[in-house]
Amino acid sequence: MLKRPVQLEARRAAALRVCSRLGCTGAALALLAAASPARGEVSLPRATEAPAPAWPGGAPSPEDVLVPIELTVRADGTVEDARVEASVEPRLDAAALEAVRRWRFEPAVRDGHPVAAKIRVAVRFQGEDQQVAAPPSGGPPSPPALAAASTPTPAPPAPASAPAPRAPASAPAATEAAREVPVRPAVEVVVAGARRPPPPVAAGDFQVHVGQLRDVPRGSAEQMLTLAPGFYLENHSGEGHPSAVFLRGFSAGEGQDIEFVADGVPLNEVSNAHGHGYADSLFLIPELVRELRIVEGPFDPRQGDFAVAGTVSYELGLEPRGVIAQAGYGSFNTRELLLLWGPAGTEAGTFAGVHAEQDDGFGPNRAHAAARFLGQIELRRDETTRVFVAASGYVTRFDSAGVLRKADVEARALDCPEDDDSQFFCLYDPNQGGAVGRFGASLRREHRGESYADSQQLFATVRRLRTRENLTGYMTDVGAIGEPQRGDGTEQIYQAVTVGARGSTTRWLDWLSHRQEAEIGFFARYDDGETRQRRLRRASGVPYRVDFDNDFGIGNIAGYVAFRFRPWRPLVLRGGVRLDTFFFSVEDRNRPTSDRSGEREPSDVVEALGVALGPRLSADVTLAPGLNVVASYGAGSRSSDAQALSDGEFAPFARVHAAETGLVFERGRGGPIELSARALAYYTRVERDLVLDEMRGRNVLAGASNRFGALATARLVSSAGVDTQASLTYAEAYLPPAGASWYELTAGPRMPYIPRWVARLDTSVRREVALAGERFQAGLALGTSYVAPRPLPLEQLGRDTFTVDAAGRLRWRMVEVGLEVTNMLDRRNHAAEFNYASNFASPDAPLSRLAARHFAAAPPRQLLGTLRVYLDAPPDPEETKDATVP
């Protein structure tokens, strides 16, 4: 017989409370939760085989024991994703899961097609006092008694000290009857989907399920950042070049102020020639991005290097199972091919995808081609342990038209036809563009026990990058007296091998009548690579001078402690502290061959070490059901670019202090209407900030900066097939003079390029329609964005940006056709704007230091038609949602 200490009794009472809250009945299989389906008519799964669980060791307890289980019934009637909702005792939990895995169902059916469904059941271990003799030999099998429970009535909650429930006196008779006449149970359904996300660590912590908003045209994974409020992207260097990102008053370049992570693998590249922190997420296939977690601000102890404006984490997966093939053709000879594979009967974490694309570009020198591969296998060793093995590959080559002087376009002075469009999309220097190669692998293990969770990961990435651009024409070349300028083209080359590991362990305990949580974790990373920049001749693109050439080895070792403490029900405190250490070893291979003392080797080695400590704390107060106010403080850091270090110094960090407060509202999760909304205000100060230097083509040190702003966002998801999200953000950024106090928010000049107002609206509508006796799934989506005129250097103001994108799709059985239209109004937007001195006229022209307006042209209206075929996939393409009881 099982031992029953006080702790076991408490666990059994907790399991009983779960059953009572969700509506358990006194049968072996009972409904615990029910909700209306998201779309369409859904019939309920019906159990056809439900073998009774075996007591561990064959020794039953005197009374019955209930173990609540959440499971998913696949479209083929088998069981997956079974997990214990409230632990009773490890051996009983394991026995209940083992029994549930053998159950078989007639699957849920929506509109005549089987679909996966999530249900909650209670597995009853029949007590010794209630057991009866086995049936005679040759008799029918003995299924447990099963309850239809179509309208369960919740029992009152049991006290913590209450013993496990005993079966009523009539239970044996009911069991005998069940053995004589097997019962075919009915079980109500909860539509399967994503589980409830963890609570936010700050008001600016957005956990975004892509959902129907995937229908809004977004050509890359980086464009999915606009699902969170405040993001603005601009790209002046071509389709294969990652966009510069603007967030919370930061001109984050290609990643210098935002930490980018994909399934635990860091994407930011240290000491990249194009910019320290350069992050390229273009290797991701957008259809395989299932969720994003975006923490705006450095408020989570798990956030690491570059998390100054925040952290972006991509979570990958493929929810529709089967084989999906798509071909597309569009404007400017755009061709694409997409293949996705999610083996039937496997988890969403097992997938493979290949994507290839090629186009001629929307103007001269804008062609590009790319190929991507992403694959992952999710292995389950048991019900508590999962292992993920992932690999990726990405290659691309692209051309770039660069920037144009606004005055030259207006004067029709460019070497292109004189019509407006030809001048707007023209170029100066054809020697611009780039190429990328990236390959990576990752191994991750996750284990979740009764009161703890552990995670470990190993990752490795090999990357090579070459970019060429010319921002100033003929301005910076320093040659022999009387010699003409050779050109300001730059060639930046970066190649590196990155290896690393991360891990964490979390413990839960019950204290002060609430669940408390503590976590410790580590992060280790080493980068070995080369970074260099050379100047190119304008006419031929041949290199003529080396600006820098470094061989580096950089190590980052970090540890953190995080906690979640609830002293009383309305208040939750979250926070912790993180310690980052960096080691730099850099060989400068561009030193002179002689000095005052004579000949010397043309290289130097610089070594440095730096340490940064970052405390973070948030207070979350519940004001009303679904309404919380959250206040947060965090200290973050950005590591130093290896090129800026001196030998033996204590490596400086860009320190950031951030604070925010806001309201978070969420109601109706899993119901027919889900509504979430947030409004917050923030302040950020950076001690060693960076701004773009157009002459160097890189970001340079600018001193301290202040930023403040606010945002409001809301998302409405309806079971009627409507998903709408809107956001409005405001941001200001200033460079205060030396000696100014931190509270002098508007002291000094305004930082250039920072958009003050950014507004975004996304809407997707899906409907089922009947035509000629056939059912079709139709969808329409619309995305609009507005960016107010941005401040430029020397008190200038740029143009506003307004875009409207639309898409439509129609599916019949296994075939789907779609049409995407971007920049539907065909507006001549500027992808980027600058104000600086340049000379694109002639190498002999007299130089002028007067600043002039420059811009890079944004794409015109583009159309893309697609044909998609679903092979071996469930007939219903709609994504399902979690409708579990909160």
Side-chain angles (χ1 to χ4, degrees):
M1 182 177 296
L2 292 174
K3 297 181 180 180
R4 294 185 290 122
V6 175
Q7 184 180 13
L8 177 58
E9 291 293 347
R11 291 175 183 169
R12 293 169 64 173
L16 178 60
R17 288 197 298 273
V18 171
C19 289
S20 300
R21 178 169 60 88
L22 297 177
C24 275
T25 64
L29 179 62
L31 175 68
L32 295 186
S36 299
R39 288 175 292 271
E41 297 296 329
V42 181
S43 69
L44 309 179
R46 301 180 66 87
T48 58
E49 299 178 29
W55 280 91
S61 171
E63 61 268 353
D64 291 359
V65 176
L66 297 178
V67 180
I69 301 287
E70 180 186 80
L71 58 89
T72 298
V73 179
R74 297 188 181 101
D76 61 3
T78 59
V79 172
E80 68 172 346
D81 284 342
R83 68 181 185 91
V84 175
E85 293 237 292
S87 175
V88 176
E89 196 270 339
R91 290 181 295 169
L92 287 170
D93 297 346
L97 291 171
E98 182 181 357
V100 163
R101 286 195 296 267
R102 299 195 304 268
W103 291 2
R104 296 294 180 268
F105 293 80
E106 289 182 1
V109 176
R110 178 193 293 145
D111 301 325
H113 305 299
V115 295
K118 182 181 292 184
I119 61 175
R120 284 176 166 140
V121 301
V123 177
R124 177 182 293 276
F125 290 83
Q126 197 169 61
E128 188 176 28
D129 294 344
Q130 308 301 329
Q131 291 192 13
V132 295
S137 176
S142 305
L146 301 171
S150 58
T151 56
T153 302
S161 60
R166 290 181 176 271
S170 60
T175 304
E176 285 291 348
R179 288 175 176 172
E180 293 175 4
V181 182
V183 179
R184 193 182 188 190
V187 181
E188 294 196 22
V189 62
V190 176
V191 181
R195 296 176 182 172
R196 175 188 293 273
V201 299
D205 181 357
F206 299 93
Q207 304 189 45
V208 181
H209 180 68
V210 179
Q212 282 188 213
L213 296 185
R214 187 183 305 278
D215 298 345
V216 178
R218 289 181 170 89
S220 65
E222 71 175 12
Q223 293 180 11
M224 301 178 79
L225 298 179
T226 57
L227 288 168
F231 277 91
Y232 169 61
L233 309 178
E234 68 170 31
N235 192 328
H236 66 276
S237 297
E239 287 294 325
H241 187 283
S243 299
V245 184
F246 295 83
L247 176 68
R248 287 207 169 195
F250 284 89
S251 176
E254 290 82 9
Q256 70 178 23
D257 293 318
I258 300 177
E259 178 188 25
F260 283 86
V261 181
D263 269 350
V265 179
L267 304 186
N268 298 84
E269 297 168 1
V270 295
S271 294
N272 189 298
H274 198 70
H276 183 51
Y278 185 95
D280 187 350
S281 61
L282 296 178
F283 75 96
L284 297 173
I285 299 174
E287 287 78 5
L288 293 178
V289 177
R290 183 167 54 172
E291 295 184 348
L292 295 93
R293 185 190 177 194
I294 298 173
V295 181
E296 298 188 9
F299 302 120
D300 191 334
R302 302 161 188 85
Q303 294 176 266
D305 193 18
F306 305 108
V308 175
T311 297
V312 172
S313 180
Y314 293 96
E315 298 181 16
L316 307 182
L318 180 62
E319 292 180 345
R321 313 311 287 164
V323 178
I324 301 174
Q326 175 177 300
Y329 184 81
S331 304
F332 312 108
N333 200 27
T334 299
R335 293 144 287 166
E336 73 168 19
L337 177 64
L338 173 67
L339 297 174
L340 301 174
W341 178 42
T346 62
E347 312 291 339
T350 296
F351 59 82
V354 175
H355 181 234
E357 60 182 343
Q358 185 175 6
D359 66 65
D360 297 338
F362 56 86
N365 215 60
R366 288 180 171 89
H368 101 289
R372 303 169 179 86
F373 164 76
L374 284 175
Q376 181 173 272
I377 299 175
E378 178 180 348
L379 304 173
R380 287 182 177 266
R381 296 183 56 189
D382 50 45
E383 296 300 331
T384 62
T385 304
R386 298 187 299 172
V387 176
F388 299 85
V389 182
S392 65
Y394 170 57
V395 292
T396 185
R397 187 193 176 282
F398 59 95
D399 295 326
S400 172
V403 299
L404 301 175
R405 288 171 62 103
K406 181 180 178 183
D408 289 348
V409 174
E410 293 174 346
R412 303 177 187 275
L414 299 176
D415 188 19
C416 288
E418 293 187 2
D419 62 281
D420 291 342
D421 281 355
S422 296
Q423 291 288 305
F424 187 82
F425 295 114
C426 198
L427 80 160
Y428 293 118
D429 188 347
N431 296 312
Q432 300 182 86
V436 177
R438 184 191 189 280
F439 294 84
S442 169
L443 174 64
R444 185 170 88 252
R445 175 186 179 273
E446 296 178 354
H447 176 76
R448 187 180 183 92
E450 178 182 341
S451 60
Y452 68 95
D454 296 324
S455 176
Q456 302 86 29
Q457 183 175 17
L458 300 173
F459 57 84
T461 304
V462 179
R463 179 169 168 84
R464 180 178 175 86
L465 164 72
R466 176 177 178 251
T467 61
R468 294 164 291 120
E469 63 182 1
N470 188 344
L471 297 178
T472 53
Y474 300 100
M475 289 287 292
T476 63
D477 181 22
V478 180
I481 297 177
E483 292 292 329
Q485 291 267 336
R486 289 169 287 185
D488 297 346
T490 60
E491 177 189 59
Q492 297 165 334
I493 298 176
Y494 176 85
Q495 56 185 9
V497 176
T498 302
V499 295
R502 68 165 76 234
S504 66
T505 181
T506 306
R507 295 292 185 269
W508 301 281
L509 60 90
D510 293 323
W511 185 42
L512 301 179
S513 302
H514 299 289
R515 173 62 58 89
Q516 318 296 348
E517 179 179 311
E519 177 181 338
I520 61 173
F522 73 90
F523 176 82
R525 166 179 174 172
Y526 184 77
D527 294 84
D528 184 89
E530 299 177 359
T531 180
R532 62 183 179 270
Q533 176 172 296
R534 303 188 292 188
R535 293 287 171 170
L536 306 179
R537 294 174 185 164
R538 166 91 180 269
S540 61
V542 174
Y544 66 84
R545 189 181 77 215
V546 176
D547 287 343
F548 57 82
D549 185 359
N550 298 325
D551 181 276
F552 64 83
I554 300 175
N556 174 206
I557 297 178
Y560 68 86
V561 177
F563 67 86
R564 178 181 180 273
F565 176 59
R566 185 191 289 270
W568 60 300
R569 185 174 182 82
L571 174 64
V572 177
L573 300 177
R574 301 182 182 91
V577 63
R578 182 183 180 94
L579 178 68
D580 273 284
T581 61
F582 281 87
F583 171 75
F584 303 87
S585 178
V586 184
E587 181 184 4
D588 184 350
R589 301 182 298 200
N590 190 37
R591 305 301 295 168
T593 57
S594 64
D595 56 21
R596 293 181 180 179
S597 300
E599 293 185 357
R600 54 154 294 170
E601 287 294 317
S603 67
D604 276 338
V605 175
V606 173
E607 293 176 341
L609 181 70
V611 178
L613 189 67
R616 292 98 190 256
L617 179 65
S618 296
D620 186 338
V621 180
T622 301
L623 302 179
L627 179 63
N628 292 55
V629 58
V630 186
S632 306
Y633 164 79
S637 62
R638 182 202 313 119
S639 62
S640 301
D641 191 336
Q643 298 179 52
L645 299 174
S646 300
D647 192 25
E649 76 170 314
F650 187 83
F653 285 77
R655 299 288 295 166
V656 56
H657 300 273
E660 74 169 22
T661 184
L663 294 172
V664 178
F665 177 79
E666 290 190 1
R667 290 301 299 270
R669 181 176 294 277
I673 295 180
E674 299 179 12
L675 175 63
S676 60
R678 301 191 191 193
L680 61 89
Y682 64 87
Y683 165 75
T684 307
R685 182 177 178 85
V686 181
E687 301 299 338
R688 293 167 52 87
D689 212 344
L690 301 173
V691 296
L692 176 67
D693 184 327
E694 296 86 2
M695 295 296 181
R696 301 185 189 182
R698 308 182 81 246
N699 293 309
V700 297
L701 189 64
S705 64
N706 288 324
R707 292 171 175 82
F708 60 92
L711 68 85
T713 182
R715 183 171 181 177
L716 176 68
V717 180
S718 168
S719 61
V722 178
D723 193 343
T724 300
Q725 178 172 274
S727 66
L728 177 65
T729 62
Y730 170 74
E732 291 280 8
Y734 289 85
L735 292 169
S741 300
W742 67 269
Y743 53 80
E744 297 181 66
L745 302 184
T746 59
R750 180 177 282 113
M751 292 190 69
Y753 308 121
I754 306 300
R756 283 182 171 177
W757 294 97
V758 177
R760 178 79 192 181
L761 173 65
D762 293 299
T763 301
S764 171
V765 179
R766 293 180 179 178
R767 287 285 189 274
E768 288 193 355
V769 296
L771 296 174
E774 293 285 347
R775 285 187 173 273
F776 295 82
Q777 289 85 37
L780 293 175
L782 185 72
T784 63
S785 65
Y786 173 78
V787 180
R790 295 185 295 156
L792 302 176
L794 305 176
E795 303 300 324
Q796 296 295 303
L797 199 64
R799 289 175 46 178
D800 64 347
T801 301
F802 180 66
T803 59
V804 178
D805 305 322
R809 66 186 185 94
L810 184 66
R811 177 176 173 180
W812 175 65
R813 298 188 179 181
M814 59 188 297
V815 179
E816 178 182 283
V817 294
L819 177 65
E820 296 182 359
V821 184
T822 55
N823 191 12
M824 188 167 61
L825 303 181
D826 202 24
R827 196 170 189 264
R828 293 298 175 259
N829 291 314
H830 291 172
E833 287 188 275
F834 308 95
N835 193 47
Y836 58 86
S838 68
N839 170 29
F840 287 99
S842 167
D844 300 318
L847 298 182
S848 172
R849 297 297 178 181
L850 294 177
R853 295 282 291 275
H854 298 71
F855 72 90
R861 178 171 53 229
Q862 298 184 81
L863 283 73
L864 177 67
T866 60
L867 174 64
R868 174 175 288 194
V869 179
Y870 295 83
L871 303 173
D872 303 323
D876 188 348
E878 303 293 344
E879 295 188 22
T880 56
K881 303 179 299 177
D882 187 10
T884 58
V885 176

